[in-house]
Amino acid sequence: MTADNRHYTYIFNPEHDLALAYGTEGYTAPPRARWLRRDLQMLPAWYGNSGAEILSQNQAEDHEWLSRMGELMGISATPVALNKLQCRNSQYIPWGWNLDLRQRLLNACVPASDLPSRQQIVELQELSHRRISIEILKLLNETIDMAYLPLPIEVHSVDEIRSFNTLHPGCYIKAPWSGSGKGVYRVLDADCRSFATWAQGIINRQGSIMCEQPLDKVLDFAMEFECNDGKARFAGYSIFSNDSHCSYDSGLVMPSPMLQQLIAKQLHGNTLLLAQVQEALAKIITQLIAPHYTGYLGIDMMVYNDNGTMRLNPCVEANLRMTMGIVASFIAERHIATGTGATFRVTYHKSPDDLKAFANNESRNNPLQLTDDGLIASGFLPLTPIYHDSHFLAHIIAGKAHRLL
């Protein structure tokens, strides 16, 4: 609890992007998103403030798990139920703010004075539209000579998508708001009926669609920032890998300077370019986003191969919310021994028994080893509880960071 008797209450709501796409209150997440929210609900224990409260659907199990993590890793957090929030004077810190979450908290009798206003969230929703990447890229190009920036475009018809695909065969189209890779489609056959149906549905629901050139990707990474008091500060790098559905799969857990070196290596050692982009983005985010948003955000980037020349796409998209890359950064800073790297991963298993078998095998094959001061030197560590019906698990394997590269 803070000096002014306010609690920090963290909420893991990974369906946030889907709720933004829905656009208003009353959103019901699909089953898989609800499983992810429940199974990983204690993830804020690794990035939250000491002594924080975390919204919990499994009070007894979460309390027991947090006690074990407190003894093992020095974690200090307390689970709190939704129906207990009305008794709190809290600063609420969700994965991301959307209208549906705000309404759920109001329905739980949380005072409106403890929450962003509806208008503030509507402004944030507009800033989260994928078109902001166009504005960021244009402002970057005014500051830094990037030689060539693959600008996306926003279109409003299937015919415009087909025209773009004629110029850039195999282009990607993206819903303005989406989550878990569900809003991304690669146009391999512009005459395919399923493509036209999918694209027209997005345009009907969200008003437009984004078109992006296909790039020969070499590395996915992000620059992370924190907005506070109307200003943005650089918070570190993350290097990550997505699965075949464009959803987050894994990331590196190591100090930010080491991540920068790995990224620069792919850019022929061009650390100056990364420094210039970092400085320019801090100013751009301060101008565009920080006056309307408080919290962390990630700017996803890409190193790609352009006929043998490695180039940087400095803004694939902007995520105005907490990100898995920021979680990995906190874990690296707080819990990983110097000189040790780790892989952070979120895994899905069709059955709870499969998940438990996976965790048991990893614990047996990669036993956790801690230094004398309680930092992780090597081994497997689940980052979230394993419930009797869990399907998802967040975990790290220290000493295995090379697997991602």
Side-chain angles (χ1 to χ4, degrees), residues 245-265:
H245 302 289
C246 298
S247 298
Y248 181 90
D249 177 72
S250 56
L252 293 184
V253 184
M254 58 177 57
S256 194
M258 294 178 64
L259 295 175
Q260 183 191 45
Q261 291 175 13
L262 292 173
I263 297 163
K265 183 178 179 180

Side-chain angles (χ1 to χ4, degrees), residues 226-233 282 285-287 289-291 293-295:
E226 182 182 18
C227 294
N228 197 18
D229 294 329
K231 295 183 180 180
R233 71 166 185 89
I285 294 168
T286 295
Q287 173 188 338
I289 298 172
Y293 175 67
T294 297

Side-chain angles (χ1 to χ4, degrees), residues 13-33:
N13 57 318
E15 76 281 7
H16 164 69
D17 292 328
L18 298 173
L20 281 183
Y22 184 77
T24 189
E25 298 86 351
Y27 174 69
T28 300
R32 187 159 170 152

Side-chain angles (χ1 to χ4, degrees), residues 75-141:
I75 294 295
S76 175
T78 304
V80 60
L82 183 64
N83 62 5
K84 299 295 183 182
L85 295 182
Q86 71 268 29
C87 303
R88 299 291 196 268
N89 178 26
S90 286
Q91 178 177 343
Y92 290 91
I93 307 174
W95 192 257
W97 279 114
N98 56 70
L99 291 174
D100 183 68
L101 174 62
R102 181 179 185 272
Q103 189 60 52
R104 284 199 293 126
L105 294 174
L106 289 173
N107 292 345
C109 298
V110 170
S113 58
D114 285 351
L115 304 174
S117 69
R118 195 179 193 281
Q119 182 57 36
Q120 286 174 315
I121 295 180
V122 169
E123 291 175 359
L124 176 60
Q125 181 173 315
E126 186 61 26
L127 285 170
S128 298
H129 191 293
R130 276 194 165 106
R131 73 164 68 95
I132 198 171
S133 64
I134 301 175
E135 192 165 0
I136 290 172
L137 286 168
K138 287 180 177 178
L139 289 171
L140 270 173
N141 208 31

Side-chain angles (χ1 to χ4, degrees), residues 2 8 10 44-53 76-77 91 93 330 334:
T2 61
Y8 287 104
Y10 289 81
W46 300 99
Y47 60 84
N49 293 329
S50 180
E53 295 178 331
S76 175
Q91 178 177 343
I93 307 174
F330 272 103
R334 294 176 176 180

Side-chain angles (χ1 to χ4, degrees), residues 269-289:
N270 196 345
T271 56
L272 176 60
L273 175 60
L274 292 174
Q276 289 175 326
V277 169
Q278 174 189 319
E279 181 180 358
L281 275 176
K283 294 177 181 177
I284 291 168
I285 294 168
T286 295
Q287 173 188 338
L288 292 182
I289 298 172

